Amino acid sequence: MTLPLREFSRRIGSTTVTVEAREQLGTQADALLDIVAAYADELRDGFSVQAGWGPFRLVARGEDRFGVVAPDFATKTPDRMGWVGDLTLALWVLNGQVTVARRLPGAEPQPVHFNDTVLCWRGIENAERLIMSRTARKDRADDSGWYIDVFPQPRESRQAHEFVRWPAFQLLGVNEHIARALLLPVGYGAVVSATRTDAITDLSTTSVAVRGPL
């Protein structure tokens, strides 16, 4: 059964802005409304703010009233991605990205766009644990620098035909916790399992920088 959504509304200037999400994401909804409120003089139909890996856009819902929508990260047809008013997934990912990135002392989160590509070994879809690493290498303009493989990695060398590039948001269908680690900066990585981020790793020392669960 689908859990009911709650409306979180705030009066900002002369308009009312409403966010729809599940009850337990009230803190995150309020934080998003704080971001929107910082642009109080610019609010209009189609206005967009970037938070984490994706945009949040205002849609007119009547006179002096706006709803907030986000890209449909759960879409099965990426080439026709639309916008959704249920922000549960978008807020959950954003909260996770901020939570994981802030656990790394002294490091600034590094932006990534939800449609940036991630280089993946084709076998990650059936793996219990995955290892992620982010480097400065850019093979193309939309390259996030992220590489994902199974954990532990096998000793044998990978072949070129064993790799695939996926838009970052599509990895939510492989493991939702991949998305939570994507704001970690170049030089770091993560080990993720089905239910959590197990660790943040330092690539320069091949050591654990922060132990999970996160």
Side-chain angles (χ1 to χ4, degrees), residues 119-125 127 129-131 147-164:
L119 183 65
C120 305
W121 183 63
R122 291 182 182 274
I124 67 171
E125 291 175 278
R129 299 178 80 194
L130 302 171
I131 188 164
Y147 167 66
I148 303 177
D149 205 333
V150 297
F151 181 85
Q153 291 175 282
R155 293 182 180 274
E156 62 269 18
S157 299
R158 299 296 196 198
Q159 302 300 313
H161 69 272
E162 297 179 295
F163 295 98
V164 63

Side-chain angles (χ1 to χ4, degrees), residues 35-96:
I35 294 173
V36 174
Y39 300 90
D41 295 334
E42 302 177 45
L43 303 187
R44 64 186 185 281
D45 185 45
F47 176 79
S48 181
V49 294
Q50 186 82 15
W53 69 347
F56 292 86
R57 192 172 74 182
L58 298 187
V59 176
R61 301 296 193 199
E63 187 175 356
D64 296 330
R65 189 176 185 88
F66 296 101
V68 183
V69 296
D72 183 8
F73 298 129
T75 183
K76 304 299 182 185
T77 54
D79 57 329
R80 297 195 299 275
M81 174 180 272
W83 297 78
V84 293
D86 178 357
L87 301 191
T88 298
L89 180 58
L91 290 177
W92 181 86
V93 171
L94 176 59
N95 179 60

Side-chain angles (χ1 to χ4, degrees), residues 94-114:
L94 176 59
N95 179 60
Q97 289 175 339
V98 172
T99 298
V100 172
R102 283 180 176 173
R103 289 292 300 274
L104 193 59
E108 289 293 325
Q110 185 167 339
V112 66
H113 190 267
F114 72 91

Side-chain angles (χ1 to χ4, degrees), residues 104 131-137 145-147 153 184-191 199-210:
L104 193 59
I131 188 164
M132 309 170 55
S133 57
R134 192 174 196 182
T135 68
R137 174 178 172 176
W146 279 106
Y147 167 66
Q153 291 175 282
L184 291 173
V186 165
Y188 291 90
V191 177
I200 297 173
T201 58
D202 184 335
L203 303 184
S204 66
T205 59
T206 63
S207 62
V208 173
V210 179

